[in-house]
Amino acid sequence: DIAPKRIEILREAIPGLGRLAVLANAGYPGAARESAVVQEAAGRLGIAVSVLDIRSADDIAPAIKSLNGSTQALYVCIDSLIVTNARNINALARDAHLASLWAAREYVRADGFISYGPNEVDQFRLAADYTDKILRGTRPADIPVAQPTKIELAINLKTAKALGLTIPESFLLRADEVI
């Protein structure tokens, strides 16, 4: 549900955003669903989308290079393959002059451009609380499903500068972390 908001934020950070690529592991069903949502949300905003389906680490560099300057940003759908290759993805994106959009700030700290997503530390704490309750005898069916309560925006100005992007001051003031 957060993918459309990520696209809006990316568009705000990059006025005139007209073309976006989605990097997704074709072997991971969650990435396929997220990719479809991104395509729909971007289409509503008039942003053209290219989908880069990958299946292994060897597919990443050729996929990004295939964009050949035709795209302004890279929406990254996270899974274990992507996480393992995050630094490489960010380096390839920067070399291709692509602003990378991630779901968590850790990838922005690894030279990504921008992230908008739940606070992962809070998510792990919540998981630990659930585990504790279950180990103390609470039936899992009796524990309410919880949505993330803190959504964070992070931006890396070093990466923005390398991409030749000027970020509006009003945007920077909204960020939870500016690197």
Side-chain angles (χ1 to χ4, degrees):
D1 294 346
I2 199 169
K5 183 65 176 175
R6 286 184 183 129
I7 301 298
E8 289 174 17
I9 286 172
L10 184 62
R11 187 172 169 191
E12 185 179 341
I14 306 172
L17 177 66
R19 190 149 188 85
L20 172 72
V22 178
L23 182 68
N25 179 355
Y28 179 62
R33 285 189 300 274
E34 185 175 0
S35 178
V37 171
V38 169
Q39 291 175 67
E40 182 182 323
R44 282 194 308 267
L45 294 172
I47 300 170
V49 177
S50 298
V51 178
L52 306 176
D53 285 330
I54 60 167
R55 293 189 180 276
S56 72
D58 293 336
D59 298 338
I60 296 170
I64 292 173
K65 287 178 184 173
S66 74
L67 297 171
N68 200 24
S70 65
T71 303
Q72 298 159 286
L74 181 68
Y75 184 108
V76 185
C77 298
I78 295 179
D79 77 322
S80 59
L81 172 62
I82 297 292
V83 168
T84 303
N85 293 281
R87 285 199 180 274
N88 185 40
I89 291 166
N90 281 333
L92 290 164
R94 193 177 48 254
D95 290 347
H97 296 314
L98 294 169
S100 57
L101 170 63
W102 293 85
R105 72 168 58 184
E106 286 71 25
Y107 309 107
V108 173
R109 290 179 183 148
D111 294 331
F113 172 60
I114 196 169
S115 70
Y116 185 73
N119 179 301
E120 288 192 336
V121 173
D122 286 348
Q123 295 298 99
F124 290 129
R125 275 194 198 106
L126 181 61
D129 289 344
Y130 280 19
T131 302
D132 180 61
K133 288 176 183 179
I134 291 167
L135 292 174
R136 292 178 187 269
T138 303
R139 292 179 337 121
D142 294 338
I143 300 173
V145 175
Q147 294 290 327
T149 56
K150 183 167 182 165
I151 306 296
E152 299 176 328
L153 173 63
I155 187 163
N156 187 321
L157 290 181
K158 178 182 160 196
T159 301
K161 183 178 179 181
L163 296 171
L165 297 173
T166 302
I167 308 303
E169 185 70 25
S170 60
F171 188 87
L172 294 174
L173 292 173
R174 288 188 8 235
D176 294 285
E177 182 174 2
V178 177
I179 299 167

